[in-house]
Amino acid sequence: MIDHILGRPNPSWKRAQVFLVLIFWTWRIIKAKEGPPRILWLPRLNRRLQRFTPWQLVLSTLTAVYALRNLDKIFGLDAPEPLRNLYTPDYFRATWIVTGLDAGFATAMTIRPKWFRDICSLLFAVYYITFPSAADEKLRRFRAVPTVEVLRATWNKTTHPFIRFIQHIPKMSIRRKILLPRPKGSSYDRPVTAYLYFAPPEAQLKEAAELILDFPGGGFVAMSPEHHEERLRFWAVNSGRPVLSIDYGKAPEYPYPFAIDEVFDVYRLLVESAGRIIGMSGNNLSVIVTGDSAGGTLAVNLVIKILELKDGITKNRGLEILPMPTGVVLAYAALDFNFVSWMSADHLRILRAEQSSNNIPGMREFAEQKDHLHHVSPLSMVPDRRPKKRVKRRSSWKEKLRGFASGGEESTRPPAPKIFRTNTDDGILADAESDEDFEGYKEEDKPIEARVKYKYDTFKPSGSMLRTHSALERKQEEMAVALKEADTKAIQAFGGKGKRAEPIGTRLTMSSRVGYFQDRIISPSMMRAMAILYIGPHRNPDFATDYHISPILTPEYLLAQFPPLMIQCGEKDPFVDDNVIFAGRVREAKRARKIELELALSGKSARFGEDLKLEHIDIHSVKGVTSVEEMKRERDKLTSESEYDWVQLVLLADWSHGYLQMPTLLPRAKAVIDDLAEWIDKTFNKYREMPRANGLTPGDGIVSEAEASDSAITFVSKRRESSGSDSPAKKSSTTSSGIGTPKVESSRIAGHTITELELVRRRRLQDSHLFD
């Protein structure tokens, strides 16, 4: 209450208030030997209570306090629970444990030494698991202005000795931390840290030719492969193949595009050595790339960079082409950084102009709020309290008492009001740099920009560039418009006669990041903080066009060349829109690519009706091909495949983010991990004889056994039961039908199939579901 009276909410004042209350009532208990003060009915009440035992009095007091604190619940006046029907019961139970652990680890993160912090983290976690409302409130405050230390303390908890003890981690014949050198021609010299997992006997690694290359998630700022070991070990056991997980450079020390370039260097090194660099056979290497959350963003960027190299969009010294991965697995990937809260370039330009005009009082202080990297937390809107160098001298007992009550702050006196003066400098917005020396500061006390270790010499573009609209691109845009019109007509026809079609795409349709802003795993403030940390001080990207920052914006001619995709996400994940839209864009791009190749090879122009001879086909009119034979191969491949071969999208009903790290808390997550391992196994088996010459994509010349099917989303029912792990031998015997065969009975996904229309209908009804 004291801090509210002073108008300065402060943890130090709260601490002082607690000590004052304890001291006052302790004094009253010791001094009041004759009873309570003679006020009103207190003496009479004291005489009546003397007939009760001390145990009864204590228990009655605690019961009364509990009843008073829950008076609103007794009379039914408490607020409704917005998350009551949002998740399945088992997923909510898992998030309850995770929230308690996060609150406990965040509370104890400043305790030293480490062994004592580990003990306190566990004790605090037990308390917050017992009192989940207190855990929600504690974590809400930490996440309101998250620091790098808060993010890392809460997300890196899976390496705690006790948590590792209770996890079910399969044994490996090889579990090895290795350092990989950079390939020749790389602009970086920092070695890459990786973790290798292999379940079969170690001698069989020399015969392996298929590799699972994993990029673990962690919001670009935290978590290494060690924090994902359950999933990685399960994949190594279920598939029988080596799993290589990359501990890429994390922000803010290594901002964008360091991690993207790092995973590209790793893939290039593996391909050039054919896997011998990690002890594999070195013959016909086949790689499936996987990534969850932030790792999924890196996996998509890896494919984009390979395609840009193939198409000549980017140049890499000593490298002309790299083969595509056999497949890509994405789990709840973050594919769009274009948050509504981002300021446009025009708005920033106006702010700089206003700041330099010297006629607006207080503009400097306002501009300092926009310099996110100048604070300890990227979302902080107030100046940080800088620690001062302490001079060793004897302190008086008054200073010790003041410091004990105020939590170590210099003074409890409220600061004087700021006097706004006219600003005379040129501006210090988000891309400005500070010359302040932070030598001697603790790492957690430094602002974000002072923690950056890798700095770029020049402001080079990230690889995405503005492109002029050629005739082919205009034709592609026209076909895309026609395709959308056809889809709209199909959707309207779906409603049937006399039925009202669901209004899709109206302004009232909220994005998943807005609709699920109360998610218990990842909050909007955390997403914004991670984006600021990841982009760092060296880039000022255009969020409307830069597809390296937001892969959801990848051009269609690049998406059309993507390898087979398995995309998996929770239905209530804040990133579910990213995954659904990306899957849809890949399907549309491949449809348009097939039409484009058919038109180019048919010798006719659908627009002008001209007949062309085969030898007069302009191969330069189709991006990404270098010969007519290559056009034919790509056309035949797209024609022989169905959309199920191109991309599979699996939405898990009433689940949200991070379930791949919860197999201990969420038993059904183990079955989901097994399903991904099964898809990887089937993909390897289907494309085992993948051509490697001329940068061909996986599956060239291979005819799928699947019939053409409508685009659909596999929607996993909440009643699905875990079936456990199958052995690699048993799995290999069930993959003869090929990955293109959408047979539900051959898969452990015991769900049903819904269209995008059904998904949007469910989303539009979510508000009514919350308050049933």
Side-chain angles (χ1 to χ4, degrees):
M1 186 180 70
I2 297 178
D3 54 345
H4 292 81
I5 294 175
L6 297 176
R8 293 284 180 180
N10 193 306
S12 300
W13 278 114
K14 296 182 188 300
R15 183 183 183 189
Q17 175 180 324
V18 170
F19 280 116
L20 289 176
V21 171
L22 292 176
I23 291 172
F24 173 77
W25 286 112
T26 302
W27 172 76
R28 286 298 305 168
I29 292 173
I30 295 175
K31 293 297 183 180
K33 296 181 179 179
E34 298 178 356
R38 300 181 181 277
I39 300 175
L40 300 177
W41 40 265
L42 289 180
R44 186 184 306 172
L45 179 62
N46 183 66
R47 286 193 299 271
R48 292 185 177 182
L49 293 176
Q50 288 178 353
R51 59 177 180 167
F52 295 101
T53 64
W55 166 250
Q56 291 175 313
L57 292 176
V58 171
L59 192 60
S60 301
T61 302
L62 294 178
T63 304
V65 170
Y66 181 79
L68 289 174
R69 294 189 63 178
N70 295 276
L71 201 61
D72 55 343
K73 298 180 180 62
I74 294 175
F75 292 101
L77 303 176
D78 54 330
E81 174 54 58
L83 304 181
R84 183 180 62 177
N85 294 326
L86 190 62
Y87 307 125
T88 59
D90 55 350
Y91 184 84
F92 186 86
R93 284 192 293 268
T95 61
W96 160 53
I97 303 296
V98 171
T99 301
L101 291 172
D102 288 349
F105 277 70
T107 304
M109 67 180 180
T110 57
I111 297 178
R112 301 291 185 275
K114 184 180 182 302
W115 64 268
F116 188 51
R117 179 172 69 250
D118 290 341
I119 296 175
C120 292
S121 298
L122 201 59
L123 295 176
F124 293 154
V126 171
Y127 168 79
Y128 285 117
I129 291 173
T130 307
F131 300 98
S133 297
D136 291 336
E137 178 63 19
K138 172 71 74 170
L139 209 56
R140 182 189 65 81
R141 295 185 179 184
F142 273 115
R143 288 177 174 176
V145 189
T147 63
V148 179
E149 278 64 40
V150 169
L151 296 175
R152 291 176 176 173
T154 55
W155 286 355
N156 293 347
K157 58 182 176 293
T158 51
T159 55
H160 188 279
F162 177 78
I163 297 180
R164 292 297 295 268
F165 175 76
I166 64 175
Q167 287 178 335
H168 173 62
I169 301 180
K171 294 183 179 180
M172 300 280 103
S173 62
I174 297 179
R175 190 274 187 190
R176 185 180 301 158
K177 178 181 178 181
I178 57 179
L179 296 177
L180 301 175
R182 297 285 183 149
K184 294 182 179 180
S186 174
S187 57
Y188 303 88
D189 54 7
R190 177 180 181 266
V192 181
T193 304
Y195 288 77
L196 179 64
Y197 301 90
F198 191 62
E202 186 172 357
Q204 296 184 18
L205 180 63
K206 298 179 180 179
E207 304 173 1
E210 296 168 345
L211 173 68
I212 301 174
L213 179 61
D214 179 75
F215 307 132
F220 304 102
V221 299
M223 301 177 73
S224 69
E226 292 182 293
H227 304 97
H228 295 255
E229 279 208 5
E230 281 186 287
R231 166 174 59 88
L232 300 175
R233 287 175 180 253
F234 282 137
W235 280 354
V237 171
N238 294 349
S239 67
R241 297 175 176 86
V243 178
L244 184 69
S245 188
I246 308 303
D247 186 9
Y248 50 86
K250 305 299 189 299
E253 291 83 1
Y254 300 97
Y256 168 85
F258 188 92
I260 296 176
D261 295 337
E262 190 169 18
V263 299
F264 179 79
D265 285 349
V266 169
Y267 185 80
R268 176 186 173 185
L269 186 69
L270 292 170
V271 170
E272 291 179 346
S273 67
R276 287 188 294 269
I277 191 73
I278 60 173
M280 297 178 65
S281 65
N283 299 321
N284 299 323
L285 177 66
S286 180
V287 180
I288 285 184
V289 177
T290 68
D292 65 300
S293 193
T297 309
L298 300 180
V300 175
N301 268 284
L302 170 62
V303 177
I304 292 174
K305 287 179 70 70
I306 296 173
L307 291 173
E308 288 181 331
L309 183 68
K310 171 179 175 289
D311 295 343
I313 300 175
T314 59
K315 302 293 182 182
N316 197 302
R317 188 169 48 188
L319 184 64
E320 295 182 357
I321 197 170
L322 280 176
M324 294 293 295
T326 305
V328 178
V329 175
L330 305 179
Y332 40 82
L335 303 174
D336 188 6
F337 280 73
N338 192 22
F339 301 138
V340 178
S341 59
W342 295 126
M343 296 190 68
S344 65
D346 285 342
H347 290 174
L348 283 175
R349 176 184 56 79
I350 293 172
L351 282 181
R352 292 191 181 98
E354 292 296 314
Q355 185 187 359
S356 302
S357 62
N358 300 328
N359 59 1
I360 301 180
M363 192 63 193
R364 176 185 177 86
E365 288 73 13
F366 174 77
E368 286 177 349
Q369 296 178 7
K370 308 299 181 184
D371 190 5
H372 304 289
L373 297 174
H374 192 64
H375 300 288
V376 173
S377 171
L379 298 185
S380 179
M381 301 298 289
V382 296
D384 298 323
R385 183 175 59 86
R386 302 296 184 194
K388 295 183 178 180
K389 296 181 179 179
R390 297 183 178 180
V391 180
K392 291 184 178 180
R393 62 181 180 85
R394 295 186 62 185
S395 59
S396 64
W397 63 272
K398 294 182 179 180
E399 292 174 337
K400 289 183 178 180
L401 183 61
R402 186 184 301 113
F404 182 73
S406 63
E409 290 194 357
E410 294 87 344
S411 175
T412 59
R413 184 173 18 178
K418 293 184 178 179
I419 301 176
F420 292 135
R421 296 183 175 86
T422 303
N423 184 28
T424 57
D425 56 7
D426 293 332
I428 50 170
L429 288 176
D431 56 351
E433 296 190 12
S434 174
D435 296 330
E436 187 175 353
D437 183 17
F438 294 95
E439 190 69 28
Y441 280 47
K442 294 181 180 179
E443 193 70 13
E444 58 268 22
D445 293 331
K446 295 180 181 179
I448 300 300
E449 60 186 0
R451 298 181 65 167
V452 176
K453 294 182 179 179
Y454 192 89
K455 298 183 178 181
Y456 296 86
D457 297 331
T458 57
F459 295 94
K460 297 180 180 180
S462 61
S464 63
M465 58 190 70
L466 297 177
R467 297 170 176 84
T468 59
H469 284 270
S470 63
L472 175 62
E473 289 176 336
R474 288 196 298 271
K475 184 174 68 174
Q476 287 292 302
E477 292 177 357
E478 294 173 0
M479 288 191 294
V481 172
L483 181 64
K484 291 179 181 178
E485 292 178 355
D487 290 342
T488 303
K489 293 179 181 179
I491 291 172
Q492 293 174 352
F494 177 79
K497 191 174 182 179
K499 295 182 180 180
R500 179 178 178 271
E502 189 71 22
I504 298 177
T506 65
R507 289 180 297 172
L508 299 179
T509 302
M510 295 186 301
S511 67
S512 57
R513 298 189 184 186
V514 176
Y516 304 129
F517 69 97
Q518 297 189 88
D519 186 72
R520 293 175 61 84
I521 300 299
I522 182 169
S523 63
S525 60
M526 295 170 65
M527 287 188 279
R528 289 194 295 271
M530 291 181 294
I532 293 172
L533 295 171
Y534 172 59
I535 295 171
H538 307 301
R539 294 291 188 273
N540 187 22
D542 182 0
F543 293 100
T545 59
D546 193 335
Y547 57 83
H548 289 279
I549 289 289
S550 298
I552 200 172
L553 304 173
T554 306
E556 289 189 353
Y557 74 94
L558 293 178
L559 292 176
Q561 304 175 64
F562 261 59
L565 279 170
M566 162 57 79
I567 302 179
Q568 192 182 85
C569 189
E571 183 204 5
K572 303 300 174 62
D573 195 303
F575 297 133
V576 65
D577 282 0
D578 297 9
N579 292 264
V580 173
I581 293 173
F582 187 76
R585 290 203 66 219
V586 171
R587 285 197 296 263
E588 288 185 353
K590 287 183 178 288
R591 293 176 200 154
R593 181 75 168 186
K594 182 169 65 173
I595 296 174
E596 178 186 8
L597 292 171
E598 288 175 348
L599 289 175
L601 291 172
S602 65
K604 296 181 180 180
S605 171
R607 184 172 182 181
F608 301 106
E610 298 174 350
D611 291 339
L612 299 176
K613 295 182 179 181
L614 188 62
E615 59 269 16
H616 292 159
I617 294 178
D618 184 11
I619 61 174
H620 300 290
S621 64
V622 181
K623 290 186 177 181
V625 295
T626 57
S627 64
V628 176
E629 290 75 14
E630 187 176 348
M631 293 172 62
K632 289 182 178 180
R633 282 197 300 268
E634 186 175 354
R635 189 272 312 271
D636 294 340
K637 174 179 176 294
L638 291 173
T639 302
S640 64
E641 293 180 337
S642 69
E643 295 182 3
Y644 196 80
D645 297 306
W646 297 340
V647 55
Q648 296 182 40
L649 177 62
V650 177
L651 297 182
L652 303 176
D654 298 336
W655 282 13
S656 181
H657 201 78
Y659 52 82
L660 291 183
Q661 289 187 275
M662 303 179 183
T664 300
L665 303 177
L666 186 62
R668 288 196 296 161
K670 174 61 169 55
V672 175
I673 295 174
D674 293 343
D675 290 335
L676 293 178
E678 182 178 350
W679 187 91
I680 292 173
D681 187 68
K682 289 181 178 180
T683 305
F684 273 130
N685 290 334
K686 179 176 181 180
Y687 298 114
R688 183 161 289 160
E689 303 299 329
M690 180 181 62
R692 287 292 170 183
N694 300 322
L696 300 181
T697 56
D700 280 341
I702 298 179
V703 179
S704 172
E705 298 179 7
E707 297 294 331
S709 61
D710 295 334
S711 62
I713 301 174
T714 302
F715 194 92
V716 181
S717 170
K718 66 178 70 177
R719 295 181 178 85
R720 169 184 172 177
E721 300 294 334
S722 174
S723 59
S725 302
D726 293 335
S727 63
K730 182 178 179 181
K731 285 186 172 183
S732 61
S733 64
T734 63
T735 57
S736 59
S737 62
I739 191 171
T741 307
K743 296 182 179 179
V744 177
E745 63 272 16
S746 65
S747 175
R748 290 194 306 273
I749 299 181
H752 59 279
T753 306
I754 66 170
T755 62
E756 286 88 343
L757 175 64
E758 174 66 12
L759 174 66
V760 175
R761 189 187 69 80
R762 290 169 181 259
R763 287 277 305 282
R764 289 181 63 81
L765 295 177
Q766 73 175 28
D767 291 341
S768 61
H769 292 165
L770 292 178
F771 301 102
D772 282 344

